[in-house]
Amino acid sequence: MIVMTIDQRRSRQGEDKVEALINQANNTVTHVRPFQRTAGDEVQAVFDDSMEAIHLAVMMAASGDWSVGLGYGEVELPLPKETRAGRGPAFVFAREAVERAKNTNAHLAVAGPTEEASRLEAELQLTACIVSKRRATAWEAGTLADQGLTQQQIATRLGITQQAVSSRLSAALWFEANRMMEEATKSLSKQLRKLGE
């Protein structure tokens, strides 16, 4: 299982964004146990889908508003209905990871029972740093690319040239960052399968 712990950054200097995160995340991602406030400005959820967990972790960290800890490993079963009542190594790893994430430029850390955790962390930290530097125009083009539109179709939709679309996607390292997340997903899924054997 994958446990994600997210802590709001600079929460004492601004509004509490936790409830908005809980509502949005629980309505848009597939989870085993939903996001729930655990204490103060911190939330936690349980996943079994590596892709969902990795994509969300990178996006949350890249926003600059959150420190994200991904922990993977075993959990005590059956899981309780309340996310915050969960126990097991994956919960401990998530706690360890979120504390380390607070002291990184990427605001993201990964912990688990295998050596793969260190490589996954490095990949996802780099990806989060890349994503954090994207401009709104890159998001506009990249979101359409992710929906399967060609660069020419995107150009027509946005009223710009195909060359401008290509430039936006290239500057944002859109496809490279997506590939990094895909490879990280494969790696984490493999680790979870091994742990389940």
mmCIF file of all heavy atoms in Angstrom, residues 51 54-55 58-59 62 122-134 138-139 142 146 168-185:
data_model
loop_
_atom_site.group_PDB
_atom_site.id
_atom_site.type_symbol
_atom_site.label_atom_id
_atom_site.label_comp_id
_atom_site.label_asym_id
_atom_site.label_seq_id
_atom_site.Cartn_x
_atom_site.Cartn_y
_atom_site.Cartn_z
ATOM 1 N N MET A 51 0.169 5.114 -9.952
ATOM 2 C CA MET A 51 0.069 6.256 -10.858
ATOM 3 C C MET A 51 -0.670 7.417 -10.197
ATOM 4 O O MET A 51 -0.232 8.562 -10.261
ATOM 5 C CB MET A 51 -0.639 5.859 -12.150
ATOM 6 C CG MET A 51 -0.722 7.000 -13.157
ATOM 7 S SD MET A 51 -1.569 6.530 -14.672
ATOM 8 C CE MET A 51 -3.255 6.441 -14.071
ATOM 9 N N ILE A 54 1.606 8.935 -7.366
ATOM 10 C CA ILE A 54 2.772 9.667 -7.849
ATOM 11 C C ILE A 54 2.366 10.972 -8.524
ATOM 12 O O ILE A 54 2.952 12.030 -8.267
ATOM 13 C CB ILE A 54 3.606 8.774 -8.792
ATOM 14 C CG1 ILE A 54 4.411 7.791 -7.945
ATOM 15 C CG2 ILE A 54 4.524 9.601 -9.693
ATOM 16 C CD1 ILE A 54 5.156 6.743 -8.721
ATOM 17 N N HIS A 55 1.378 10.920 -9.365
ATOM 18 C CA HIS A 55 0.946 12.133 -10.062
ATOM 19 C C HIS A 55 0.477 13.190 -9.063
ATOM 20 O O HIS A 55 0.856 14.363 -9.147
ATOM 21 C CB HIS A 55 -0.164 11.792 -11.062
ATOM 22 C CG HIS A 55 -0.479 12.900 -12.001
ATOM 23 N ND1 HIS A 55 -1.445 13.853 -11.738
ATOM 24 C CD2 HIS A 55 0.054 13.233 -13.195
ATOM 25 C CE1 HIS A 55 -1.494 14.715 -12.729
ATOM 26 N NE2 HIS A 55 -0.597 14.373 -13.630
ATOM 27 N N VAL A 58 3.472 14.685 -6.991
ATOM 28 C CA VAL A 58 4.272 15.649 -7.757
ATOM 29 C C VAL A 58 3.527 16.966 -7.908
ATOM 30 O O VAL A 58 4.091 18.048 -7.716
ATOM 31 C CB VAL A 58 4.648 15.062 -9.142
ATOM 32 C CG1 VAL A 58 5.200 16.151 -10.058
ATOM 33 C CG2 VAL A 58 5.658 13.936 -8.977
ATOM 34 N N MET A 59 2.248 16.908 -8.255
ATOM 35 C CA MET A 59 1.475 18.140 -8.464
ATOM 36 C C MET A 59 1.333 18.945 -7.170
ATOM 37 O O MET A 59 1.444 20.171 -7.167
ATOM 38 C CB MET A 59 0.095 17.819 -9.040
ATOM 39 C CG MET A 59 0.131 17.211 -10.419
ATOM 40 S SD MET A 59 1.091 18.202 -11.604
ATOM 41 C CE MET A 59 1.778 16.921 -12.625
ATOM 42 N N ALA A 62 4.755 20.450 -6.331
ATOM 43 C CA ALA A 62 5.126 21.489 -7.297
ATOM 44 C C ALA A 62 4.332 22.777 -7.093
ATOM 45 O O ALA A 62 4.788 23.856 -7.475
ATOM 46 C CB ALA A 62 4.918 20.970 -8.722
ATOM 47 N N ALA A 122 14.594 10.649 -5.656
ATOM 48 C CA ALA A 122 15.392 11.525 -6.524
ATOM 49 C C ALA A 122 14.639 11.853 -7.811
ATOM 50 O O ALA A 122 14.593 13.006 -8.253
ATOM 51 C CB ALA A 122 16.733 10.867 -6.849
ATOM 52 N N GLU A 123 14.007 10.847 -8.425
ATOM 53 C CA GLU A 123 13.252 11.065 -9.656
ATOM 54 C C GLU A 123 12.076 12.009 -9.434
ATOM 55 O O GLU A 123 11.849 12.934 -10.226
ATOM 56 C CB GLU A 123 12.722 9.733 -10.198
ATOM 57 C CG GLU A 123 13.781 8.827 -10.766
ATOM 58 C CD GLU A 123 13.219 7.488 -11.210
ATOM 59 O OE1 GLU A 123 12.021 7.207 -10.981
ATOM 60 O OE2 GLU A 123 14.000 6.714 -11.790
ATOM 61 N N LEU A 124 11.338 11.770 -8.374
ATOM 62 C CA LEU A 124 10.146 12.576 -8.136
ATOM 63 C C LEU A 124 10.488 13.986 -7.665
ATOM 64 O O LEU A 124 9.770 14.934 -7.980
ATOM 65 C CB LEU A 124 9.230 11.869 -7.139
ATOM 66 C CG LEU A 124 8.665 10.529 -7.629
ATOM 67 C CD1 LEU A 124 7.730 9.928 -6.591
ATOM 68 C CD2 LEU A 124 7.954 10.686 -8.969
ATOM 69 N N GLN A 125 11.587 14.131 -6.945
ATOM 70 C CA GLN A 125 12.009 15.478 -6.560
ATOM 71 C C GLN A 125 12.378 16.299 -7.789
ATOM 72 O O GLN A 125 11.980 17.460 -7.916
ATOM 73 C CB GLN A 125 13.187 15.415 -5.585
ATOM 74 C CG GLN A 125 12.783 14.997 -4.190
ATOM 75 C CD GLN A 125 13.954 14.947 -3.230
ATOM 76 O OE1 GLN A 125 15.111 14.897 -3.633
ATOM 77 N NE2 GLN A 125 13.655 14.942 -1.938
ATOM 78 N N LEU A 126 13.142 15.700 -8.687
ATOM 79 C CA LEU A 126 13.513 16.401 -9.916
ATOM 80 C C LEU A 126 12.273 16.740 -10.741
ATOM 81 O O LEU A 126 12.135 17.854 -11.249
ATOM 82 C CB LEU A 126 14.480 15.547 -10.739
ATOM 83 C CG LEU A 126 14.961 16.157 -12.057
ATOM 84 C CD1 LEU A 126 15.663 17.482 -11.821
ATOM 85 C CD2 LEU A 126 15.892 15.181 -12.777
ATOM 86 N N THR A 127 11.358 15.794 -10.845
ATOM 87 C CA THR A 127 10.133 16.028 -11.609
ATOM 88 C C THR A 127 9.319 17.155 -10.998
ATOM 89 O O THR A 127 8.808 18.034 -11.709
ATOM 90 C CB THR A 127 9.284 14.744 -11.685
ATOM 91 O OG1 THR A 127 10.086 13.687 -12.211
ATOM 92 C CG2 THR A 127 8.074 14.938 -12.580
ATOM 93 N N ALA A 128 9.180 17.161 -9.682
ATOM 94 C CA ALA A 128 8.420 18.216 -9.013
ATOM 95 C C ALA A 128 9.054 19.585 -9.241
ATOM 96 O O ALA A 128 8.355 20.581 -9.440
ATOM 97 C CB ALA A 128 8.302 17.927 -7.519
ATOM 98 N N CYS A 129 10.386 19.642 -9.233
ATOM 99 C CA CYS A 129 11.080 20.915 -9.491
ATOM 100 C C CYS A 129 10.820 21.401 -10.911
ATOM 101 O O CYS A 129 10.613 22.598 -11.148
ATOM 102 C CB CYS A 129 12.577 20.761 -9.236
ATOM 103 S SG CYS A 129 13.016 20.631 -7.489
ATOM 104 N N ILE A 130 10.815 20.476 -11.868
ATOM 105 C CA ILE A 130 10.532 20.839 -13.262
ATOM 106 C C ILE A 130 9.104 21.354 -13.384
ATOM 107 O O ILE A 130 8.848 22.404 -13.975
ATOM 108 C CB ILE A 130 10.746 19.620 -14.190
ATOM 109 C CG1 ILE A 130 12.234 19.291 -14.294
ATOM 110 C CG2 ILE A 130 10.153 19.874 -15.574
ATOM 111 C CD1 ILE A 130 12.531 17.954 -14.957
ATOM 112 N N VAL A 131 8.162 20.615 -12.816
ATOM 113 C CA VAL A 131 6.746 20.984 -12.911
ATOM 114 C C VAL A 131 6.485 22.331 -12.240
ATOM 115 O O VAL A 131 5.680 23.129 -12.715
ATOM 116 C CB VAL A 131 5.861 19.873 -12.303
ATOM 117 C CG1 VAL A 131 4.408 20.318 -12.205
ATOM 118 C CG2 VAL A 131 5.963 18.600 -13.143
ATOM 119 N N SER A 132 7.181 22.609 -11.152
ATOM 120 C CA SER A 132 6.949 23.863 -10.410
ATOM 121 C C SER A 132 7.313 25.101 -11.223
ATOM 122 O O SER A 132 6.842 26.196 -10.938
ATOM 123 C CB SER A 132 7.742 23.856 -9.101
ATOM 124 O OG SER A 132 9.129 24.008 -9.343
ATOM 125 N N LYS A 133 8.161 24.931 -12.240
ATOM 126 C CA LYS A 133 8.613 26.081 -13.028
ATOM 127 C C LYS A 133 7.782 26.295 -14.301
ATOM 128 O O LYS A 133 8.056 27.193 -15.081
ATOM 129 C CB LYS A 133 10.084 25.901 -13.390
ATOM 130 C CG LYS A 133 10.973 25.899 -12.140
ATOM 131 C CD LYS A 133 12.428 25.818 -12.482
ATOM 132 C CE LYS A 133 13.341 25.764 -11.285
ATOM 133 N NZ LYS A 133 12.834 26.170 -10.013
ATOM 134 N N ARG A 134 6.764 25.499 -14.515
ATOM 135 C CA ARG A 134 5.948 25.641 -15.717
ATOM 136 C C ARG A 134 5.099 26.912 -15.671
ATOM 137 O O ARG A 134 4.556 27.267 -14.632
ATOM 138 C CB ARG A 134 5.016 24.432 -15.877
ATOM 139 C CG ARG A 134 5.743 23.169 -16.265
ATOM 140 C CD ARG A 134 4.787 21.998 -16.323
ATOM 141 N NE ARG A 134 5.461 20.787 -16.793
ATOM 142 C CZ ARG A 134 4.932 19.584 -16.729
ATOM 143 N NH1 ARG A 134 3.727 19.418 -16.212
ATOM 144 N NH2 ARG A 134 5.602 18.546 -17.189
ATOM 145 N N ALA A 138 2.159 26.881 -20.701
ATOM 146 C CA ALA A 138 2.597 25.495 -20.877
ATOM 147 C C ALA A 138 1.535 24.539 -20.361
ATOM 148 O O ALA A 138 1.256 23.507 -20.981
ATOM 149 C CB ALA A 138 3.923 25.253 -20.160
ATOM 150 N N TRP A 139 0.921 24.865 -19.225
ATOM 151 C CA TRP A 139 -0.149 24.038 -18.677
ATOM 152 C C TRP A 139 -1.314 23.957 -19.663
ATOM 153 O O TRP A 139 -1.904 22.895 -19.860
ATOM 154 C CB TRP A 139 -0.641 24.596 -17.342
ATOM 155 C CG TRP A 139 0.245 24.227 -16.191
ATOM 156 C CD1 TRP A 139 1.118 25.033 -15.532
ATOM 157 C CD2 TRP A 139 0.353 22.941 -15.577
ATOM 158 N NE1 TRP A 139 1.767 24.329 -14.554
ATOM 159 C CE2 TRP A 139 1.314 23.049 -14.548
ATOM 160 C CE3 TRP A 139 -0.268 21.718 -15.802
ATOM 161 C CZ2 TRP A 139 1.664 21.972 -13.744
ATOM 162 C CZ3 TRP A 139 0.079 20.642 -14.988
ATOM 163 C CH2 TRP A 139 1.033 20.774 -13.970
ATOM 164 N N GLY A 142 -0.095 21.719 -22.510
ATOM 165 C CA GLY A 142 0.195 20.375 -22.036
ATOM 166 C C GLY A 142 -1.046 19.597 -21.643
ATOM 167 O O GLY A 142 -1.137 18.393 -21.903
ATOM 168 N N ASP A 146 -2.136 16.043 -23.192
ATOM 169 C CA ASP A 146 -2.443 14.861 -22.387
ATOM 170 C C ASP A 146 -3.808 14.272 -22.744
ATOM 171 O O ASP A 146 -4.072 13.095 -22.500
ATOM 172 C CB ASP A 146 -2.415 15.200 -20.897
ATOM 173 C CG ASP A 146 -1.001 15.362 -20.365
ATOM 174 O OD1 ASP A 146 -0.040 15.028 -21.092
ATOM 175 O OD2 ASP A 146 -0.859 15.834 -19.220
ATOM 176 N N ARG A 168 6.238 25.744 -26.259
ATOM 177 C CA ARG A 168 5.711 25.709 -24.894
ATOM 178 C C ARG A 168 5.942 24.338 -24.247
ATOM 179 O O ARG A 168 6.370 24.246 -23.094
ATOM 180 C CB ARG A 168 4.212 26.019 -24.896
ATOM 181 C CG ARG A 168 3.874 27.454 -25.225
ATOM 182 C CD ARG A 168 2.371 27.673 -25.214
ATOM 183 N NE ARG A 168 2.021 29.023 -25.625
ATOM 184 C CZ ARG A 168 0.796 29.535 -25.576
ATOM 185 N NH1 ARG A 168 -0.191 28.785 -25.137
ATOM 186 N NH2 ARG A 168 0.561 30.766 -25.969
ATOM 187 N N LEU A 169 5.647 23.287 -24.987
ATOM 188 C CA LEU A 169 5.803 21.938 -24.452
ATOM 189 C C LEU A 169 7.274 21.602 -24.219
ATOM 190 O O LEU A 169 7.622 20.958 -23.230
ATOM 191 C CB LEU A 169 5.173 20.923 -25.410
ATOM 192 C CG LEU A 169 3.652 21.026 -25.589
ATOM 193 C CD1 LEU A 169 3.180 20.066 -26.670
ATOM 194 C CD2 LEU A 169 2.930 20.755 -24.281
ATOM 195 N N SER A 170 8.114 22.065 -25.122
ATOM 196 C CA SER A 170 9.547 21.801 -25.005
ATOM 197 C C SER A 170 10.141 22.531 -23.796
ATOM 198 O O SER A 170 10.891 21.950 -23.010
ATOM 199 C CB SER A 170 10.256 22.236 -26.291
ATOM 200 O OG SER A 170 11.646 22.050 -26.179
ATOM 201 N N ALA A 171 9.801 23.805 -23.646
ATOM 202 C CA ALA A 171 10.334 24.591 -22.528
ATOM 203 C C ALA A 171 9.894 24.020 -21.183
ATOM 204 O O ALA A 171 10.627 24.091 -20.196
ATOM 205 C CB ALA A 171 9.883 26.048 -22.659
ATOM 206 N N ALA A 172 8.694 23.443 -21.145
ATOM 207 C CA ALA A 172 8.157 22.887 -19.905
ATOM 208 C C ALA A 172 8.640 21.463 -19.651
ATOM 209 O O ALA A 172 8.334 20.892 -18.603
ATOM 210 C CB ALA A 172 6.631 22.900 -19.954
ATOM 211 N N LEU A 173 9.411 20.904 -20.597
ATOM 212 C CA LEU A 173 9.819 19.496 -20.509
ATOM 213 C C LEU A 173 8.603 18.614 -20.238
ATOM 214 O O LEU A 173 8.629 17.700 -19.407
ATOM 215 C CB LEU A 173 10.884 19.301 -19.433
ATOM 216 C CG LEU A 173 12.211 20.033 -19.645
ATOM 217 C CD1 LEU A 173 13.122 19.866 -18.439
ATOM 218 C CD2 LEU A 173 12.907 19.530 -20.904
ATOM 219 N N TRP A 174 7.511 18.926 -20.948
ATOM 220 C CA TRP A 174 6.228 18.285 -20.673
ATOM 221 C C TRP A 174 6.290 16.769 -20.809
ATOM 222 O O TRP A 174 5.935 16.018 -19.899
ATOM 223 C CB TRP A 174 5.147 18.854 -21.591
ATOM 224 C CG TRP A 174 3.781 18.475 -21.127
ATOM 225 C CD1 TRP A 174 3.078 17.342 -21.446
ATOM 226 C CD2 TRP A 174 2.982 19.191 -20.185
ATOM 227 N NE1 TRP A 174 1.889 17.318 -20.776
ATOM 228 C CE2 TRP A 174 1.798 18.439 -20.001
ATOM 229 C CE3 TRP A 174 3.151 20.394 -19.491
ATOM 230 C CZ2 TRP A 174 0.788 18.858 -19.143
ATOM 231 C CZ3 TRP A 174 2.138 20.809 -18.643
ATOM 232 C CH2 TRP A 174 0.972 20.037 -18.478
ATOM 233 N N PHE A 175 6.749 16.301 -21.967
ATOM 234 C CA PHE A 175 6.751 14.860 -22.220
ATOM 235 C C PHE A 175 7.819 14.140 -21.401
ATOM 236 O O PHE A 175 7.616 13.001 -20.975
ATOM 237 C CB PHE A 175 6.924 14.589 -23.716
ATOM 238 C CG PHE A 175 5.807 15.176 -24.543
ATOM 239 C CD1 PHE A 175 6.045 16.222 -25.425
ATOM 240 C CD2 PHE A 175 4.508 14.711 -24.407
ATOM 241 C CE1 PHE A 175 5.006 16.774 -26.159
ATOM 242 C CE2 PHE A 175 3.461 15.249 -25.139
ATOM 243 C CZ PHE A 175 3.711 16.289 -26.022
ATOM 244 N N GLU A 176 8.936 14.815 -21.159
ATOM 245 C CA GLU A 176 10.005 14.213 -20.365
ATOM 246 C C GLU A 176 9.550 14.001 -18.914
ATOM 247 O O GLU A 176 9.808 12.957 -18.310
ATOM 248 C CB GLU A 176 11.256 15.083 -20.406
ATOM 249 C CG GLU A 176 11.915 15.159 -21.767
ATOM 250 C CD GLU A 176 11.288 16.183 -22.714
ATOM 251 O OE1 GLU A 176 10.274 16.825 -22.349
ATOM 252 O OE2 GLU A 176 11.816 16.328 -23.831
ATOM 253 N N ALA A 177 8.878 15.015 -18.344
ATOM 254 C CA ALA A 177 8.391 14.889 -16.966
ATOM 255 C C ALA A 177 7.310 13.813 -16.880
ATOM 256 O O ALA A 177 7.273 13.035 -15.919
ATOM 257 C CB ALA A 177 7.847 16.224 -16.474
ATOM 258 N N ASN A 178 6.440 13.760 -17.895
ATOM 259 C CA ASN A 178 5.417 12.710 -17.911
ATOM 260 C C ASN A 178 6.057 11.332 -17.949
ATOM 261 O O ASN A 178 5.624 10.408 -17.263
ATOM 262 C CB ASN A 178 4.490 12.878 -19.121
ATOM 263 C CG ASN A 178 3.433 13.945 -18.895
ATOM 264 O OD1 ASN A 178 3.320 14.506 -17.814
ATOM 265 N ND2 ASN A 178 2.661 14.222 -19.918
ATOM 266 N N ARG A 179 7.105 11.198 -18.766
ATOM 267 C CA ARG A 179 7.779 9.896 -18.873
ATOM 268 C C ARG A 179 8.443 9.525 -17.540
ATOM 269 O O ARG A 179 8.434 8.367 -17.132
ATOM 270 C CB ARG A 179 8.824 9.930 -19.985
ATOM 271 C CG ARG A 179 9.513 8.595 -20.146
ATOM 272 C CD ARG A 179 10.149 8.399 -21.506
ATOM 273 N NE ARG A 179 10.716 7.059 -21.555
ATOM 274 C CZ ARG A 179 12.020 6.805 -21.574
ATOM 275 N NH1 ARG A 179 12.893 7.781 -21.580
ATOM 276 N NH2 ARG A 179 12.463 5.568 -21.612
ATOM 277 N N MET A 180 9.023 10.514 -16.874
ATOM 278 C CA MET A 180 9.643 10.253 -15.579
ATOM 279 C C MET A 180 8.600 9.724 -14.591
ATOM 280 O O MET A 180 8.863 8.764 -13.848
ATOM 281 C CB MET A 180 10.280 11.524 -15.021
ATOM 282 C CG MET A 180 11.073 11.298 -13.770
ATOM 283 S SD MET A 180 12.708 10.627 -14.068
ATOM 284 C CE MET A 180 13.613 12.141 -14.306
ATOM 285 N N MET A 181 7.407 10.325 -14.593
ATOM 286 C CA MET A 181 6.355 9.856 -13.690
ATOM 287 C C MET A 181 5.875 8.462 -14.083
ATOM 288 O O MET A 181 5.566 7.637 -13.219
ATOM 289 C CB MET A 181 5.196 10.852 -13.652
ATOM 290 C CG MET A 181 5.507 12.109 -12.863
ATOM 291 S SD MET A 181 4.085 13.192 -12.586
ATOM 292 C CE MET A 181 3.985 14.035 -14.170
ATOM 293 N N GLU A 182 5.830 8.179 -15.383
ATOM 294 C CA GLU A 182 5.424 6.843 -15.842
ATOM 295 C C GLU A 182 6.423 5.787 -15.383
ATOM 296 O O GLU A 182 6.034 4.709 -14.915
ATOM 297 C CB GLU A 182 5.323 6.824 -17.372
ATOM 298 C CG GLU A 182 4.133 7.590 -17.920
ATOM 299 C CD GLU A 182 4.222 7.797 -19.423
ATOM 300 O OE1 GLU A 182 5.124 7.210 -20.067
ATOM 301 O OE2 GLU A 182 3.383 8.549 -19.956
ATOM 302 N N GLU A 183 7.713 6.106 -15.511
ATOM 303 C CA GLU A 183 8.743 5.145 -15.087
ATOM 304 C C GLU A 183 8.739 4.967 -13.575
ATOM 305 O O GLU A 183 8.934 3.858 -13.061
ATOM 306 C CB GLU A 183 10.122 5.603 -15.577
ATOM 307 C CG GLU A 183 10.299 5.551 -17.077
ATOM 308 C CD GLU A 183 10.078 4.155 -17.650
ATOM 309 O OE1 GLU A 183 10.575 3.173 -17.060
ATOM 310 O OE2 GLU A 183 9.376 4.039 -18.683
ATOM 311 N N ALA A 184 8.508 6.050 -12.851
ATOM 312 C CA ALA A 184 8.431 5.959 -11.389
ATOM 313 C C ALA A 184 7.230 5.114 -10.983
ATOM 314 O O ALA A 184 7.296 4.330 -10.022
ATOM 315 C CB ALA A 184 8.335 7.350 -10.776
ATOM 316 N N THR A 185 6.133 5.248 -11.724
ATOM 317 C CA THR A 185 4.942 4.449 -11.458
ATOM 318 C C THR A 185 5.240 2.964 -11.624
ATOM 319 O O THR A 185 4.866 2.137 -10.785
ATOM 320 C CB THR A 185 3.798 4.857 -12.415
ATOM 321 O OG1 THR A 185 3.399 6.198 -12.108
ATOM 322 C CG2 THR A 185 2.603 3.932 -12.282
#
